[in-house]
Amino acid sequence: MGRRVGVLLGIASLTVPLSVALGTSSAQAATACTAKAGPYQKQAEKFLGRPVDGKQSTADCRAIRAFQTKYSISPNAGYAGPVTKGMMDLVGKQRAAGKNPNKAKKCPTNKGRIACIDLSRQLSWIQDGKKLVYGPVPVRTGRNGHETRTGAKRVYHRNINHWSTLYHVRMPYSQFFDGGQAFHAISGNVWSAPGSHGCVNMRTADAKKYWNLLKNGDDTFVYGRKPGT
């Protein structure tokens, strides 16, 4: 849990380790934009709505670099490598979830209000039966060796200003559902690596909304598998 958390991205999967970059640092800003086309140049061009020719242009590099900066990929030099391709795959699947994240019916619809966590897509949402109440929203779950545990759970403890005595970090809007694993807000980017210590890390606005929508005893359900774990 805590700040050093994120998604793992890879060539054949959604995730592989990448450097943590919480926003645009001065080091990132100084990185030169590469003129070299990466192995996933055409895929990046298509994802970003650029002309698809497989050749790196100044405009292509700027577009790829802006994506890398937004999703905390370092270095953000505009090179369309495997980490960038993996993040585009992940973001594409998150976008495709739209307003029907439970289309595959993997999260129970017979529990009333329930918070669903899809590890494979790094998404969470709240539903009442089949009705979507909030989300889906991007999350960061457990890194390799500290996986977020799957299965049916329930919120059992809430602390709006929780402090982790184990990791010595703030965990605002904490709602614990399985041992030390909880929904909670982080101050960094929810797409940055390498992953949490098991918690479901959220943007502050999303964690606050979950705080207002859930209560002790409410169901949660964790399924799927975060690639790389």
Side-chain angles (χ1 to χ4, degrees):
M1 298 172 284
R3 296 179 183 176
R4 290 177 294 180
V5 287
V7 290
L8 302 172
L9 296 163
I11 299 177
S13 65
L14 297 181
T15 58
V16 294
L18 55 97
S19 302
V20 177
L22 303 180
T24 306
S25 66
S26 57
Q28 284 181 311
T31 303
C33 202
T34 182
K36 184 179 180 181
Y40 299 98
Q41 184 72 27
K42 286 186 177 181
Q43 291 91 328
E45 290 166 348
K46 182 177 180 180
F47 182 87
L48 296 170
R50 300 288 308 148
V52 180
D53 58 11
K55 299 177 182 179
Q56 179 81 308
S57 67
T58 300
D60 288 340
C61 187
R62 287 174 178 170
I64 295 168
R65 187 174 182 173
F67 176 87
Q68 292 169 333
T69 300
K70 180 177 180 179
Y71 292 101
S72 293
I73 297 172
S74 179
N76 63 336
Y79 181 77
V83 173
T84 298
K85 169 61 164 55
M87 182 62 81
M88 287 178 175
D89 287 346
L90 176 61
V91 172
K93 290 188 177 185
Q94 291 178 342
R95 290 176 180 173
K99 290 299 180 182
N100 190 16
N102 201 33
K103 184 177 181 179
K105 298 180 173 61
K106 292 184 178 181
C107 191
T109 58
N110 61 346
K111 298 283 188 180
R113 180 150 298 188
I114 185 171
C116 308
I117 304 108
D118 181 349
L119 301 179
S120 301
R121 293 182 293 175
Q122 293 289 281
L123 286 178
S124 181
W125 63 92
I126 296 174
Q127 62 188 39
D128 268 324
K130 296 180 180 180
K131 180 183 178 183
L132 182 66
V133 175
Y134 183 73
V137 297
V139 295
R140 293 191 296 195
T141 61
R143 66 184 73 179
N144 190 30
H146 296 276
E147 292 84 354
T148 304
R149 294 179 288 272
T150 57
K153 328 281 183 181
R154 283 188 178 179
V155 176
Y156 69 88
H157 177 67
R158 289 160 31 103
N159 185 338
I160 197 168
N161 291 311
H162 185 74
W163 171 262
S164 171
T165 57
L166 181 60
Y167 299 109
H168 308 291
V169 294
R170 290 182 64 247
M171 294 168 52
Y173 302 104
S174 284
Q175 300 191 80
F176 292 86
F177 55 82
D178 185 7
Q181 299 187 351
F183 296 107
H184 70 83
I186 59 167
S187 59
N189 190 316
V190 295
W191 286 279
S192 50
S196 77
H197 287 91
C199 282
V200 177
N201 300 148
M202 311 181 79
R203 297 175 297 191
T204 298
D206 295 330
K208 185 176 181 180
K209 190 70 174 181
Y210 269 48
W211 178 269
N212 292 329
L213 289 171
L214 299 176
K215 63 182 185 302
N216 283 332
D218 278 349
D219 288 291
T220 67
F221 188 75
V222 185
Y223 69 94
R225 181 174 181 177
K226 180 179 179 178
T229 64

